[in-house]
Amino acid sequence: MATDDFAFLNGAIPTQDQLVAKETSSGSVKVVLGAQWGDEGKGKIVDLLAATADVVCRCQGGNNAGHTVVVNNKTYDFHLLPSGVINPSCISVIGNGVVIHVPGLFDEIEKNEAKGLSNMKERLLISDRAHLVFDLHQQADSQQELEKGKKGRIVIEARTTKKGIGPAYSSKATRNGLRIGDLIGDFEKFSEKYRHLVESYNRMFPTLEVNAEAELQLYKDYANRISPMVADTVNYLHEAIKRNKNIIVEGANAAMLDIDFGTYPYVTSSNCSIGGVCTGLGIPPRSIGEVYGIVKAYTTRVGDGPFPTEQINQIGEDLQKRGGEIGVTTRRKRRCGWLDLVVLRHTNMINGYTSIAVTKLDILDVFEEIKIGVAYIKDGRKLLCFPADLDLLASVQVEYVTLPGWKASTQAVRKFQDLPLNAQNYIKTIEKLLQVPVKWVGVGQSRDSIIHLLYTRGPFFSK
């Protein structure tokens, strides 16, 4: 880590040029966010942007997220690591807003090293403020879901990946969590705090099975292994912004899973909308420039909860099979339906997309006609906005616009004008309805299966 980028971490005094550098590069940080219920293909766009990035960051969530990138017919699955780690010249940052299961992190590193990614540990920075997910959190996660199922409040497995994410954020909120900085600090103090945490969880879950002393032995080894990767990432990122570094933030999960703005309680335990970028990395809003919303060409979600445009029919089955809609983390089948513009308007209102990527357009290649949900109707009246009341959401009717399909393969297309006219019209219709320009269109799994679009002010016009 003896590079200029890391010099300040080792106590180096900034040069005069560094001190007089602009405080911000007028929004130099680019953000990639899921615009639906997750699984939109964020990893593909992050991988594309990371090719020229200096730094790629994760700002929230844990290993409940799953991003897939296909490079040279080799598939990489990322859960805690930013997808940008594929770029050998890029620094990866796991920010303070992420909750980290250390055994899972090292397992992920080793699996990707076995696939040929090199020097990953040398290119990874982990915030000393990030909270730890322990096995006891994962056990508690499972027990909580079982209790909910017994009470008939929810279908078991509907709301959590059992990765301990919710309980870890609960420990953080109740101020008895442990952080990476505790782990690499005074180990006796860490051990005392951990034993206290175990006692607390044993009171809440009497059947919890935790061998505290055996766990501490494991974490003593982990402390030594992870220590070289730990840094004050807040300071690091501010220095990177001053130096006009190209910084990408990779949001995990998606806006409709945001704990405040999503379909609560069928959500994750973090803010996976634009606000989580600032709180999860410690960067000011003025440093954020481009905000890219990633939109699957249809809609999917994992688990329970209202899904107005869901197709519980042959269309839904075809979308699921053609799209390979299996959760990267959960391995559960995703529910599938038509694109929902009410959802997209809601998440755009919160996140302020400067442009969007429409992914997996090729999955729609076989349909005679394609529908887009444009409004929710209840008792004959259109709703003005996306409802917080899930009972209301579950009872709405959807107003659709119906477009002709193109019945031709788009997978080999690399220019917008070479798409079938009906496929072009579908993209233009999305843009017109959302009033946000489309910057990319994905037409396949591989890294190069993407169409780059040029647009001018206002509505997009392909060139």
Side-chain angles (χ1 to χ4, degrees):
M1 297 173 68
T3 67
D4 289 343
D5 282 345
F6 296 114
F8 61 86
L9 295 177
N10 299 318
I13 298 173
T15 65
Q16 185 63 28
D17 287 342
Q18 291 169 338
L19 289 172
V20 299
K22 288 192 301 180
E23 185 65 25
T24 177
S25 56
S26 300
S28 60
V29 179
K30 300 179 180 68
V31 179
V32 177
L33 297 173
Q36 294 152 303
W37 275 284
D39 311 307
E40 301 93 350
K42 296 181 290 295
K44 183 185 184 73
I45 302 302
V46 172
D47 175 58
L48 173 72
L49 296 170
T52 56
D54 299 303
V55 185
V56 179
C57 312
R58 271 283 305 274
C59 62
Q60 45 71 224
N63 61 344
N64 59 333
H67 296 163
T68 302
V69 179
V70 180
V71 180
N72 298 326
N73 296 318
K74 191 175 292 187
T75 300
Y76 299 93
D77 294 333
F78 300 108
H79 300 273
L80 276 166
L81 295 169
S83 304
V85 75
I86 292 176
N87 178 0
S89 62
C90 185
I91 302 301
S92 293
V93 171
I94 298 178
N96 58 275
V98 179
V99 289
I100 301 173
H101 184 248
V102 177
L105 174 64
F106 280 109
D107 182 59
E108 186 176 338
I109 290 172
E110 289 160 8
K111 284 181 178 177
N112 283 289
E113 284 180 337
K115 292 182 179 180
L117 295 185
S118 60
N119 302 321
M120 293 173 66
K121 291 188 284 291
E122 289 77 10
R123 297 185 287 110
L124 178 62
L125 289 180
I126 301 170
S127 173
D128 53 1
R129 292 177 169 87
H131 276 252
L132 292 164
V133 179
F134 294 105
D135 288 351
L136 64 86
H137 288 125
Q138 297 185 343
Q139 286 190 52
D141 206 347
S142 295
Q143 290 196 24
Q144 285 176 330
E145 289 301 296
L146 286 171
E147 286 302 312
K148 291 167 188 170
K150 289 175 183 176
K151 294 176 181 178
R153 287 162 47 193
I154 191 167
V155 176
I156 297 173
E157 294 193 335
R159 281 170 55 185
T160 175
T161 58
K162 310 289 179 52
K163 295 293 185 180
I165 307 305
Y169 277 116
S170 294
S171 292
K172 176 179 179 177
T174 55
R175 297 180 298 281
N176 66 347
L178 281 84
R179 305 197 290 183
I180 291 288
D182 296 314
L183 176 61
I184 66 168
D186 186 324
F187 198 76
E188 287 302 317
K189 289 184 178 179
F190 172 83
S191 300
E192 182 180 346
K193 291 178 180 179
Y194 178 74
R195 292 187 188 102
H196 175 75
L197 183 65
V198 171
E199 290 172 2
S200 175
Y201 267 77
N202 275 328
R203 286 192 295 271
M204 291 187 289
F205 305 96
T207 60
L208 208 66
E209 297 179 2
V210 181
N211 186 332
E213 300 311 311
E215 286 290 295
L216 285 171
Q217 284 301 310
L218 289 174
Y219 273 86
K220 192 168 188 178
D221 177 58
Y222 285 134
N224 293 327
R225 293 173 63 188
I226 205 169
S227 182
M229 296 178 267
V230 178
D232 183 336
T233 57
V234 176
N235 188 52
Y236 173 80
L237 289 173
H238 277 259
E239 290 294 326
I241 290 169
K242 287 180 181 179
R243 299 175 184 183
N244 293 318
K245 296 292 185 180
N246 184 3
I247 301 169
I248 309 297
V249 179
E250 175 180 6
N253 315 114
M256 294 308 297
L257 296 175
D258 185 280
I259 194 166
D260 286 302
F261 303 112
T263 45
Y264 185 91
Y266 303 99
V267 293
T268 191
S269 299
S270 61
N271 286 111
C272 33
S273 51
I274 192 68
V277 174
C278 297
T279 58
L281 293 171
I283 59 175
R286 65 179 177 177
S287 294
I288 296 174
E290 299 292 317
V291 180
Y292 303 125
I294 313 305
V295 177
K296 193 178 287 185
Y298 48 102
T299 307
T300 63
R301 72 173 300 177
V302 172
D304 213 344
F307 183 173
T309 64
E310 182 176 15
Q311 298 298 296
I312 309 175
N313 51 28
Q314 190 60 50
I315 291 171
E317 290 181 17
D318 290 344
L319 288 169
Q320 196 279 322
K321 290 175 182 177
R322 283 184 53 78
E325 297 297 349
I326 302 290
V328 176
T329 299
T330 64
R331 306 312 301 166
R332 289 178 285 180
K333 283 187 177 181
R334 297 174 187 139
R335 300 156 62 194
C336 299
W338 295 123
L339 186 65
D340 189 330
L341 257 291
V342 183
V343 164
L344 295 183
R345 291 190 195 102
H346 175 67
T347 67
N348 179 46
M349 183 168 58
I350 294 161
N351 291 323
Y353 306 128
T354 54
S355 58
I356 63 172
V358 177
T359 62
K360 302 186 84 165
L361 181 72
D362 56 302
I363 306 307
L364 302 180
D365 287 349
V366 301
F367 292 95
E368 291 283 352
E369 62 179 29
I370 298 165
K371 295 185 177 183
I372 300 175
V374 295
Y376 295 161
I377 299 174
K378 177 67 175 176
D379 297 330
R381 301 179 65 179
K382 289 184 181 180
L383 302 187
L384 296 177
C385 55
F386 189 89
D389 182 343
L390 295 198
D391 290 334
L392 172 57
L393 182 63
S395 66
V396 299
Q397 293 179 311
V398 180
E399 178 183 310
Y400 290 99
V401 295
T402 302
L403 303 173
W406 44 93
K407 300 286 287 184
S409 176
T410 59
Q411 290 189 348
V413 177
R414 297 296 178 266
K415 294 181 180 179
F416 183 79
Q417 59 266 34
D418 293 337
L419 282 172
L421 288 179
N422 286 345
Q424 293 183 35
N425 185 50
Y426 183 67
I427 296 300
K428 290 181 178 181
T429 300
I430 293 171
E431 185 180 68
K432 180 180 179 181
L433 291 170
L434 190 58
Q435 292 293 293
V436 177
V438 176
K439 187 162 187 171
W440 300 281
V441 177
V443 289
Q445 276 195 322
S446 67
R447 175 183 260 179
D448 66 341
S449 298
I450 197 160
I451 299 169
H452 298 255
L453 303 179
L454 301 176
Y455 54 85
T456 58
R457 292 182 301 166
F460 135 83
F461 297 92
S462 180
K463 294 182 179 180

